[in-house]
Amino acid sequence: MSKVLVIAEHDGNQLNGSTARAVACASELGLDAVDVAVLAADGAVVADQAASLTGVSTVVLVQNPANEHAVAALLAPQIEALASDYSHVFAPSTTFGKDLMPRVAAHLGVPQISDIMRVESATVFDRPVYAGNAVVTVEAAEGIVIGTVRTASYAAVGQEGSASIETRELSVELPSHTRYVGLQTSGGSDRPDLQAAAKVVSGGRGVGSEENFSVIYKLADKLGAGVGASRAAVDAGFIPNDHQVGQTGKIIAPELYMAFGISGAIQHLAGIKDAGTIVAVNKDADAPIFEVADYGLVGDLFEVIDELEKAL
Amino acid sequence: MKILVGVKRVVDYNVRIQVKADGSGVATDGVKMSMNPFDEIAVEEALRIKEAGKADEVIAVTIGPKVCQEQLRTALAMGADRAIHVETDDDIQPLTGARILKALADKEEPKIVLLGKQAIDDDNNQTAQMLGALSHWPQATFASEVNIEGESAVVTREIDAGLEQLSVDLPAVISVDLRLNEPRYVKLPDIMKAKRKPIETITLGDLNVDAAASVKVLKTSAPAKRQAGIKVESVDELVTVLKEKGLI
């Protein structure tokens, strides 16, 4: 029997939306079952959420105080122990999955397929290279297939499932060489999560300062949108790193993406090419962002946002 | 304390990538090649740790054909003390690369291996994590700040949720992200000086490393392109079209 195990991403309370997208990809493999593994300190709530994902057969719940925070060096040996029942182990290609899965693959002695964007068969996949400027079709090596899923390429599965939850005790020795210290988030916001938001309003270098970014937040709140930024805006300190959209930030696929004062470096475009509709507002009529925008408007972003707010 | 830092030769950051018509790969003939930008940041961080008096020697290592020595020379000109060239004409994928780095780490016994978080050609983002697994070392990926404190390091990591801090015992492998530092410019006298620094050339055989099973590339194609849309003349026009599509 061939089965795929999808490693759930969560924060201890809430299943991250990327998991449902990874399950969508895993469901396309055409295997006998799609299972989800929840590794947590206290994972009952997250396991219930995972069990409701459409298409999932079994949720494997591994509870250990060491799993309170997702530390790759601690999670990898546990996943290695679970992997023997599976032909495939997938995780979302978020910073969680990117950090974790190569460690699992190397423990198992197999190569990994990163950023799966299309499933041709259970062993043949498409993935982007060169910041998405080329796509390679690759065939996995013999043995277990370890992969990460480019979540922007897949819509989340629904929540009509009723998987069984199976608690597993693992007798694996975990290393003590890595300790979680803390996490700073931009926090305390009611805004939708950037990677799950249907609409995203983004600002770039053209916004000019941290103070000026308030106009981006204001418009986003009016639209019920998440807030994104270009690398230039993050580098300049206008906004924290967890808002960065692009090849080295978040790769997103909202229905509406509105870019203000973003010129459109290749690395930024790599993060938005799956958006439904792209709107770009920029002073420079030759900005590369206009080459991918469905609707472009040449003008001062502050004036445009002001007018937009009045019109909404 | 030694630091081993990985350097990869890749198509330069600014080159517009052309996929070959026969699907065999991307055009690299006559294309500018450079050190992977993330690796430059790794070299810079290694040098800063040494300059802060927390390391004695920075060793740059690359894996690939003879021409890769150009990138080792760049690392030496930046300030690395010596370099190791693992010479091979084979396509080295991350798992094999990690095996090679492990063999070198066993030989050189560095306290830190610094690598770019990904190479901008294959975008795999795997080698550092695989090295961590093979060596049974801690890993701290996507670093935006590194503080060495005696026998451990506190590393700030750029993750989707924000900035995470991990404390890892040394030896450890650290993969670097873009905001860790800004690499120095190399000056002409340093380039001249770098020519006299030693590069040791070795093979996979010397290191007793067998190539791992590899992912087979069946074909390379150009990505589906977004069509450029239209320019609207006013905010009113923009609002109208977005309303028509039910987006606002």
Side-chain angles (χ1 to χ4, degrees):
Chain A
M1 208 161 91
S2 309
K3 298 193 292 181
V4 51
L5 183 66
V6 176
I7 311 303
E9 178 173 359
H10 63 88
D11 64 3
N13 301 308
Q14 192 70 38
L15 190 67
N16 186 289
S18 61
T19 310
R21 292 173 184 257
V23 166
C25 173
S27 301
E28 291 188 4
L29 294 167
L31 305 180
D32 300 311
V34 178
D35 291 353
V36 172
V38 174
L39 290 87
D42 178 1
V45 174
V46 174
D48 278 342
Q49 293 166 7
S52 75
L53 295 179
T54 305
V56 175
S57 302
T58 305
V59 173
V60 180
L61 174 61
V62 179
Q63 304 194 95
N64 185 326
N67 294 343
E68 186 173 354
H69 304 286
V71 176
L74 305 183
L75 297 179
Q78 300 174 67
I79 294 166
E80 185 189 351
L82 296 173
S84 55
D85 296 338
Y86 294 89
S87 59
H88 296 64
V89 182
F90 280 10
S93 188
T94 53
T95 53
F96 163 78
K98 286 175 176 174
D99 184 38
L100 173 62
M101 296 308 279
R103 194 154 179 125
V104 173
H107 272 302
L108 295 169
V110 292
Q112 174 186 294
I113 313 231
S114 297
D115 304 318
I116 294 168
M117 59 188 284
R118 192 180 69 88
V119 173
E120 187 169 308
S121 73
T123 53
V124 177
F125 309 94
D126 280 358
R127 61 173 301 265
V129 293
Y130 291 95
N133 289 297
V135 174
V136 286
T137 304
V138 296
E139 186 174 24
E142 289 271 307
I144 188 165
V145 180
I146 306 296
T148 61
V149 176
R150 184 178 181 277
T151 52
S153 300
Y154 293 89
V157 295
Q159 296 179 15
E160 285 128 26
S162 53
S164 57
I165 298 174
E166 183 188 302
T167 302
R168 287 278 298 270
E169 300 280 340
L170 300 175
S171 53
V172 184
E173 205 176 317
L174 301 183
S176 59
H177 54 45
T178 306
R179 294 160 297 273
Y180 172 87
V181 178
L183 173 68
Q184 280 169 261
T185 64
S186 357
S189 138
D190 300 330
R191 288 187 192 93
D193 174 60
L194 189 51
Q195 274 156 314
K199 299 171 196 171
V200 170
V201 178
S202 233
R205 197 198 305 269
V207 176
S209 71
E210 191 179 353
E211 294 72 41
N212 288 354
F213 240 86
S214 61
V215 302
I216 301 289
Y217 288 112
K218 231 171 105 193
L219 179 63
D221 290 346
K222 193 137 192 175
L223 290 167
V227 173
S230 68
R231 180 188 162 197
V234 176
D235 282 355
F238 300 168
I239 181 165
N241 73 289
D242 45 319
H243 291 277
Q244 185 174 320
V245 172
Q247 173 68 6
T248 59
K250 288 175 179 154
I251 294 178
I252 58 173
E255 288 162 31
L256 174 64
Y257 185 77
M258 303 184 83
F260 293 92
I262 292 178
S263 63
I266 286 173
Q267 290 74 16
H268 186 76
L269 302 183
I272 61 169
K273 63 165 79 170
D274 295 293
T277 299
I278 297 175
V279 173
V281 177
N282 203 298
K283 273 199 288 207
D284 175 7
D286 297 323
I289 188 92
F290 289 123
E291 289 168 28
V292 301
D294 299 283
Y295 303 108
L297 179 55
V298 178
D300 178 83
L301 71 95
F302 300 102
E303 287 170 20
V304 170
I305 289 178
D306 199 43
E307 279 187 61
L308 263 175
E309 288 200 1
K310 285 180 190 145
L312 289 170
Chain B
M1 171 173 116
K2 290 184 197 173
I3 301 179
L4 196 66
V5 55
V7 165
K8 186 177 182 187
R9 176 184 172 90
V10 298
V11 173
D12 186 82
Y13 187 77
N14 290 309
V15 170
R16 224 168 227 267
I17 298 299
Q18 302 286 344
V19 174
K20 288 190 205 164
D22 64 0
S24 65
V26 306
T28 51
D29 285 349
V31 165
K32 187 184 177 201
M33 304 295 283
S34 296
M35 190 193 302
N36 179 39
F38 290 98
D39 300 346
E40 257 186 276
I41 295 169
V43 173
E44 176 66 34
E45 193 65 17
L47 296 174
R48 289 188 190 190
I49 293 169
K50 185 186 167 194
E51 285 158 6
K54 292 182 174 175
D56 311 305
E57 191 180 31
V58 174
I59 308 160
V61 51
T62 197
I63 306 166
K66 198 156 194 78
V67 285
C68 296
Q69 291 198 6
E70 288 173 20
Q71 280 63 47
L72 284 181
R73 288 290 169 204
T74 305
L76 291 169
M78 285 175 75
D81 298 291
R82 62 184 167 99
I84 300 171
H85 177 206
V86 181
E87 191 172 349
T88 172
D89 289 330
D90 296 340
D91 165 42
I92 299 296
Q93 294 188 359
L95 185 54
T96 302
R99 285 185 182 178
I100 293 168
L101 291 172
K102 179 182 184 297
L104 285 173
D106 288 346
K107 190 167 158 230
E108 297 284 348
E109 299 184 330
K111 284 283 188 174
I112 301 172
V113 178
L114 273 166
L115 301 173
K117 75 164 179 179
Q118 69 193 74
I120 61 164
D121 50 6
D122 291 334
D123 283 333
N124 274 312
N125 196 331
Q126 298 176 3
T127 305
Q129 297 89 313
M130 288 180 159
L131 174 62
L134 297 179
S135 304
H136 301 282
W137 285 5
Q139 70 186 43
T141 52
F142 325 144
S144 65
E145 199 181 334
V146 175
N147 287 306
I148 311 295
E149 295 168 357
E151 287 301 304
S152 64
V154 174
V155 178
T156 303
R157 308 178 53 230
E158 290 206 7
I159 63 168
D160 292 338
L163 296 172
E164 183 192 74
Q165 287 190 316
L166 281 184
S167 167
V168 295
D169 293 340
L170 302 183
V173 51
I174 298 172
S175 87
V176 309
D177 214 323
L178 289 171
R179 275 177 284 273
L180 179 60
N181 61 47
E182 210 163 296
R184 64 197 65 191
Y185 284 102
V186 173
K187 299 185 207 79
L188 190 61
D190 296 327
I191 295 172
M192 302 311 290
K193 227 174 13 186
K195 288 187 177 159
R196 292 193 298 274
K197 290 184 181 175
I199 295 182
E200 179 191 356
T201 300
I202 52 176
T203 64
L204 269 65
D206 297 335
L207 292 168
N208 263 322
V209 170
D210 294 323
S214 57
V215 172
K216 194 169 156 198
V217 178
L218 304 176
K219 68 166 193 275
T220 303
S221 39
K225 269 202 128 164
R226 277 189 88 97
Q227 297 300 317
I230 55 163
K231 288 251 174 72
V232 292
E233 296 302 324
S234 68
V235 173
D236 285 344
E237 195 185 338
L238 179 62
V239 169
T240 306
V241 291
L242 292 180
K243 277 193 174 149
E244 272 169 17
K245 292 185 99 181
L247 290 166
I248 57 171

